[in-house]
Amino acid sequence: MKQTTNSILMIRPVAFRMNEQTAVNNYYQKVLDGLMPATVNAKAQQEFDDFVLKLRAVGVDVIVVDDTVNPDTPDSIFPNNWISFHENADVALYPMFAENRREERREEILDMLEDKGFKIQNIVDYTEAEDDGFFLEGTGSLLLDRANEKAYCALSPRTDEELFIEFCEDFDYAPILFEAFQTVNGERKLIYHTNVMMCLGETFAVICADCIDDKKERKMVLDNLKKDSKEIILITEAQVNTFAGNMLEVRGTDDKRYLVMSTAAHQSLTPKQIGQLEKHATILSSSLDTIEACGGGSARCMMAEIFLPKA
């Protein structure tokens, strides 16, 4: 199985703002004082459009879908939480913690992808778990090492252990389960999504090992990465706060590998880390300041990778 793809789904926002329903356990969100909602959305749209242009300029196939005004979905810019696409032509739909995020799931997006020549065979739907208060937020919760058939997962209020195991059984992944923490006002709190503190490339892994407080769990995660011959690039908790863990490796023209991240993430990296990363992929960064501040997510969250076969 391939670890990286050339095709990406992105949702262009129409009413982006800080989502009050997700702020309860996403400690990266901030209120931008003094900015009208329309201004916040306009800034987010500009950042989105610039980002898409940069991806397309290097040959990434970006499929952009416009969000709709109704229903109200302030976080629609982060589609990787509600859907994932797989090489066997399966699509997974995920249960979401915030009620207003559940409205982001749109069947017509699947029709659109089929119109573009992608093949969809099965829809594996986990969304009923929402009724019982259990959540698994797509490739925010799950970090898939598709080539080695392993799934890394940090438990949190948005990531349920039993659902994760069910996913691994359905899609034939070996589960690698742990807890990851961040310091919030002097207290250790669970990080809401795995993809904030960790990124898996084909030949490397970026990880904040300091977030995994349990030494046994930390060793187990690092041992798995080493066993699969990944170069481990460690980042600090301060760098996690600038979304340096929220990166994604994609393929551009001639299958060239790019590591996509925000400008803030790029600027937080040391020359040594940049050197390590550039052995594996070309860094591509774009300014996502408004999206990061209000949304509490960054470049990785904005891209849903499409691994579906072509019909």
Side-chain angles (χ1 to χ4, degrees):
M1 293 225 286
K2 290 187 311 209
Q3 180 61 20
T4 52
T5 180
N6 171 251
S7 299
I8 298 289
L9 169 72
M10 293 180 68
I11 310 289
R12 189 174 190 270
V14 291
F16 176 80
R17 63 168 197 276
M18 180 177 138
N19 186 352
E20 56 292 337
Q21 292 186 16
T22 54
V24 294
N25 54 23
N26 177 344
Y27 306 107
Y28 300 99
Q29 287 173 251
K30 302 177 188 76
V31 176
L32 293 181
D33 288 330
L35 283 188
M36 298 293 287
T39 310
V40 170
N41 184 62
K43 280 174 176 278
Q45 284 179 331
Q46 187 62 58
E47 290 172 1
F48 179 95
D49 293 343
D50 291 347
F51 187 25
V52 169
L53 279 176
K54 285 184 180 180
L55 288 166
R56 285 178 172 161
V58 297
V60 180
D61 174 27
V62 185
I63 296 165
V64 173
V65 177
D66 286 309
D67 190 17
T68 52
V69 177
N70 288 314
D72 175 35
T73 49
D75 275 333
S76 62
I77 200 167
F78 304 131
N80 82 309
N81 299 136
W82 67 266
I83 195 163
S84 65
F85 305 99
H86 302 266
E87 266 185 65
N88 63 355
D90 281 0
V91 171
L93 299 177
Y94 296 97
M96 312 275 278
F97 168 80
E99 284 183 27
N100 63 7
R101 293 213 62 191
R102 298 169 194 176
E103 306 274 10
E104 292 172 31
R105 298 188 292 253
R106 290 163 56 192
E107 291 284 331
E108 72 267 25
I109 289 175
L110 300 182
D111 300 334
M112 214 174 292
L113 292 176
E114 286 183 315
D115 290 343
K116 289 189 181 290
F118 291 102
K119 192 170 152 202
I120 295 174
Q121 222 153 11
N122 287 315
I123 295 177
V124 186
D125 190 342
Y126 299 102
T127 58
E128 272 190 6
E130 285 168 353
D131 301 337
D132 300 315
F134 298 115
F135 314 107
L136 186 70
E137 296 197 330
T139 52
S141 294
L142 310 159
L143 242 68
L144 301 179
D145 185 340
R146 294 170 188 261
N148 295 298
E149 297 179 333
K150 290 179 181 176
Y152 293 80
C153 178
L155 291 177
S156 79
R158 303 200 196 179
T159 304
D160 178 72
E161 182 172 349
E162 279 181 32
L163 271 180
F164 169 60
I165 300 297
E166 189 182 333
F167 168 88
C168 289
E169 286 170 356
D170 291 343
F171 284 88
D172 289 327
Y173 282 94
I176 295 162
L177 200 60
F178 57 97
E179 287 184 328
F181 295 86
Q182 65 187 125
T183 300
V184 182
N185 301 326
E187 266 183 81
R188 293 300 269 171
K189 303 241 185 186
L190 288 167
I191 288 180
Y192 78 110
H193 278 158
T194 316
N195 75 3
V196 176
M197 51 73 68
M198 186 175 176
C199 154
L200 279 176
E202 271 178 43
T203 49
F204 67 95
V206 175
I207 184 168
C208 180
D210 292 344
C211 288
I212 307 174
D213 290 355
D214 184 294
K215 287 196 180 90
K216 274 192 194 145
E217 286 185 358
R218 188 187 315 149
K219 183 179 185 307
M220 180 261 303
V221 171
L222 295 174
D223 284 351
N224 269 286
L225 295 170
K226 283 176 195 153
K227 200 158 51 185
D228 298 325
S229 305
K230 305 262 191 223
E231 181 181 359
I232 296 171
I233 297 149
L234 295 173
I235 56 172
T236 64
E237 218 175 300
Q239 289 174 316
V240 169
N241 291 334
T242 60
F243 295 100
N246 200 240
M247 310 165 167
L248 181 67
E249 188 180 29
V250 298
R251 289 190 175 269
T253 307
D254 299 328
D255 256 0
K256 187 172 172 182
R257 294 193 284 181
Y258 291 89
L259 183 59
V260 184
M261 66 188 76
S262 71
T263 302
H266 193 179
Q267 288 172 345
S268 77
L269 298 173
T270 64
K272 183 188 173 195
Q273 289 167 326
I274 289 171
Q276 287 174 299
L277 291 169
E278 285 180 337
K279 283 190 292 184
H280 302 276
T282 300
I283 291 175
L284 178 94
S285 62
S286 198
S287 173
L288 302 171
D289 292 351
T290 310
I291 293 166
E292 288 177 331
C294 294
S298 187
R300 166 65 189 108
C301 307
M302 294 168 67
M303 297 180 280
E305 303 149 280
I306 303 171
F307 285 92
L308 298 169
K310 285 284 181 131

